[in-house]
Amino acid sequence: MADKEKKKKKKAKEEEPAPAPAAAEAPAEAKQSSRGSRKAKRTGSNVFSMFSQKQVAEFKEAFQLMDHDKDGIIGKNDLRATFDSLGRLAVDKELDEMLNEAPGPINFTQLLTLFANRMSGGSDEDEVVIAAFKSFDEEGKIDSEKLRTALMTFGDKFSAEEVDDAYDQMVIDDKGFIDTAKLITMLTASAEEGEGEGEGEAA
């Protein structure tokens, strides 16, 4: 009996080292996965580091106000309800454009990312400028009167004085047309060059 037990113990000892390499591999895998999750956390929290805790709390409050159906995502009906509560009618096209700014459903993190991109002058800023002016383009030219009306009527409305100031910077031919390509070049170039200067002038 004693011999049998000794043999069993001997066998058990011989079998023990076998799983050791597997155990050694496990921490390496664990390290990789924890490194991966750390990376994921880091990139996910990047947008939060751009704002103070107070700002994040304010955005959160705004998000909750906009999320009328309380499903954690701002959808078309939520946006419509938000505009209604502000006493402003929004058309479907406008709502769709807003929703399309985000690459996916607008949850809180996505909303913060959109704000962060706007504040840091997101990479598509020039594209937005180009698209806006191209919508007025007719065969390479923009009717300055139509543009004036739009600038004074929609969005952040310009005053007549502000439009005049802007038009002083543009080349307008004797028929009242602006060369679209020249205008876009001027606006996108001056936005890049004069970012620092513009701030100084405003102060």
Side-chain angles (χ1 to χ4, degrees):
M1 284 281 286
D3 283 349
K4 272 186 184 174
E5 272 178 34
K6 276 181 190 170
K7 278 180 188 171
K8 269 186 191 172
K9 278 182 186 171
K10 210 176 190 185
K11 257 190 181 177
K13 273 184 186 170
E14 284 168 7
E15 285 168 10
E16 266 173 31
E25 284 168 29
E29 282 172 28
K31 268 184 199 165
Q32 275 184 328
S33 65
S34 73
R35 203 180 297 138
S37 65
R38 241 183 266 135
K39 242 185 213 168
K41 275 180 199 161
R42 220 178 287 138
T43 52
S45 65
N46 255 353
V47 70
F48 289 91
S49 65
M50 291 184 68
F51 301 105
S52 69
Q53 284 184 324
K54 189 183 176 201
Q55 285 173 313
V56 171
E58 286 168 358
F59 282 130
K60 186 78 175 169
E61 198 178 319
F63 180 85
Q64 286 165 346
L65 287 171
M66 290 170 74
D67 184 16
H68 285 267
D69 58 11
K70 306 296 173 207
D71 65 349
I73 287 172
I74 295 175
K76 198 170 184 173
N77 290 334
D78 294 323
L79 279 180
R80 193 188 304 280
T82 302
F83 276 113
D84 289 349
S85 68
L86 296 170
R88 182 172 177 272
L89 286 174
V91 293
D92 276 1
K93 188 186 174 199
E94 191 178 5
L95 297 174
D96 288 333
E97 282 171 3
M98 287 177 172
L99 292 171
N100 289 337
E101 278 189 43
I106 303 177
N107 58 18
F108 180 59
T109 307
Q110 186 60 62
L111 183 75
L112 264 190
T113 305
L114 289 171
F115 276 114
N117 288 343
R118 280 288 170 89
M119 289 168 74
S120 65
S123 59
D124 64 341
E125 206 168 82
D126 285 352
E127 290 162 35
V128 173
V129 170
I130 292 164
F133 285 104
K134 280 199 170 167
S135 66
F136 291 95
D137 178 75
E138 288 169 29
E139 296 171 16
K141 292 187 181 292
I142 294 171
D143 184 328
S144 63
E145 283 313 305
K146 277 186 189 173
L147 183 60
R148 176 186 290 274
T149 305
L151 289 170
M152 292 174 69
T153 311
F154 305 110
D156 298 331
K157 296 180 183 72
F158 279 59
S159 67
E161 220 172 279
E162 286 171 324
V163 176
D164 289 340
D165 287 346
Y167 277 19
D168 286 344
Q169 310 298 316
M170 300 175 195
V171 179
I172 302 172
D173 68 20
D174 51 5
K175 290 178 182 167
F177 285 96
I178 302 163
D179 184 307
T180 310
K182 281 183 184 168
L183 175 62
I184 288 168
T185 304
M186 181 189 90
L187 290 170
T188 53
S190 62
E192 284 164 20
E193 292 162 14
E195 263 174 11
E197 294 165 27
E199 284 164 21
E201 283 169 26

